[in-house]
Amino acid sequence: MRKNSIKNTRINAEVQRELSTIISREIKDPRIHPFTSVVACEVAPDLKSCKAYISVLGTEEERENTRIGLNNAVGYIRKELARSINLRNTPEITFIMDQSIEYGVSMSKKIDSLVKTESSEEETQE
């Protein structure tokens, strides 16, 4: 199975959906922030490993606590994933913090402030 095959793409989407459900609804760990989302999943073609990209809307301390909580609950998450998805192998999950959403928000704020300063400069020149 090639990495970008249709089957692998469907497996990635299904694992992402199930991980999101498990993290948001079934894990009761107080360290895991309520605004934790699974941005993407990459399951290896042999179904042995999975990289789950996680985004947390919060402070750096909340992100670190969420990462620790998820790493401690990885066995439970894998068990629930095996129960909900019927795959030949249940992949070993590696959680990776994704800052792309945060980066996008900060860039949007910078663009808005730049537009605001340019419009105020144009008003003062008129």
Side-chain angles (χ1 to χ4, degrees):
M1 179 168 61
R2 293 185 326 269
K3 185 173 183 176
N4 294 328
S5 69
I6 294 171
K7 181 180 178 183
N8 199 333
T9 304
R10 274 191 262 147
I11 290 172
N12 289 343
E14 187 66 25
V15 168
Q16 178 181 352
R17 184 172 32 253
E18 288 300 322
L19 280 179
S20 180
T21 302
I22 292 167
I23 290 171
S24 65
R25 295 195 178 114
E26 297 179 18
I27 296 181
K28 304 296 185 220
D29 192 340
R31 293 176 291 187
I32 297 175
H33 196 268
F35 293 117
T36 301
S37 59
V38 181
V39 178
C41 281
E42 292 178 4
V43 179
D46 63 354
L47 305 175
K48 298 280 187 187
S49 64
C50 170
K51 292 180 186 176
Y53 295 92
I54 305 295
S55 177
V56 179
L57 187 62
T59 64
E60 188 63 39
E61 181 183 348
E62 291 169 335
R63 268 187 235 109
E64 185 63 24
N65 287 339
T66 300
R67 187 186 64 75
I68 292 169
L70 287 173
N71 285 333
N72 286 343
V74 75
Y76 173 78
I77 293 170
R78 188 171 181 222
K79 181 182 78 172
E80 291 299 315
L81 188 65
R83 188 177 301 174
S84 62
I85 299 178
N86 186 18
L87 292 174
R88 183 175 59 241
N89 297 319
T90 304
E92 289 285 336
I93 303 167
T94 304
F95 292 107
I96 300 170
M97 286 296 162
D98 184 36
Q99 272 92 24
S100 63
I101 294 174
E102 230 176 79
Y103 179 74
V105 168
S106 69
M107 290 306 287
S108 178
K109 286 180 182 176
K110 289 178 183 177
I111 291 170
D112 289 344
S113 68
L114 184 65
V115 168
K116 205 180 266 186
T117 56
E118 284 182 4
S119 65
S120 65
E121 287 176 4
E122 288 176 4
E123 289 176 2
T124 56
Q125 289 178 354
E126 291 179 358

